[in-house]
Amino acid sequence: MPLATFAVAALWLGGCANLERHNPSAVSQADDDAYCQTHGGPQGSAAYTACRKDRDVAATRSDRMERTHRDLAERMLNGQ
């Protein structure tokens, strides 16, 4: 019986661990810079600026969707 309880607790905590996301903003900045230099051109060019803007908009949209999902999951767990 204790083994079954431990297994259920481990699965339950493992599911919660997936709700907590790391903060990729520092890594994302370097990745965005490298990506936009490769695909858009040198820093300061119009294509580079447009690339960085597009990636910023996409990241903001992704963060908003993740926050909405996390809030929904929390409300469901709280029975609201």
Side-chain angles (χ1 to χ4, degrees):
M1 184 68 173
L3 184 61
T5 304
F6 178 74
V8 170
L11 289 173
W12 181 63
L13 291 173
C16 292
N18 288 333
L19 291 177
E20 192 63 38
R21 303 286 181 173
H22 65 286
N23 187 359
S25 63
V27 174
S28 177
Q29 291 294 324
D31 288 346
D32 287 348
D33 185 52
Y35 177 85
C36 289
Q37 283 185 11
T38 302
H39 293 89
Q43 284 184 333
S45 68
Y48 175 86
T49 304
C51 177
R52 288 299 298 254
K53 180 182 175 193
D54 291 343
R55 291 186 62 93
D56 186 48
V57 168
T60 301
R61 186 176 297 134
S62 175
D63 289 345
R64 189 179 320 130
M65 287 184 349
E66 186 172 335
R67 186 173 45 250
T68 300
H69 181 262
R70 190 173 49 245
D71 291 346
L72 175 62
E74 186 175 324
R75 284 197 315 268
M76 290 173 68
L77 287 171
N78 291 332
Q80 295 176 346

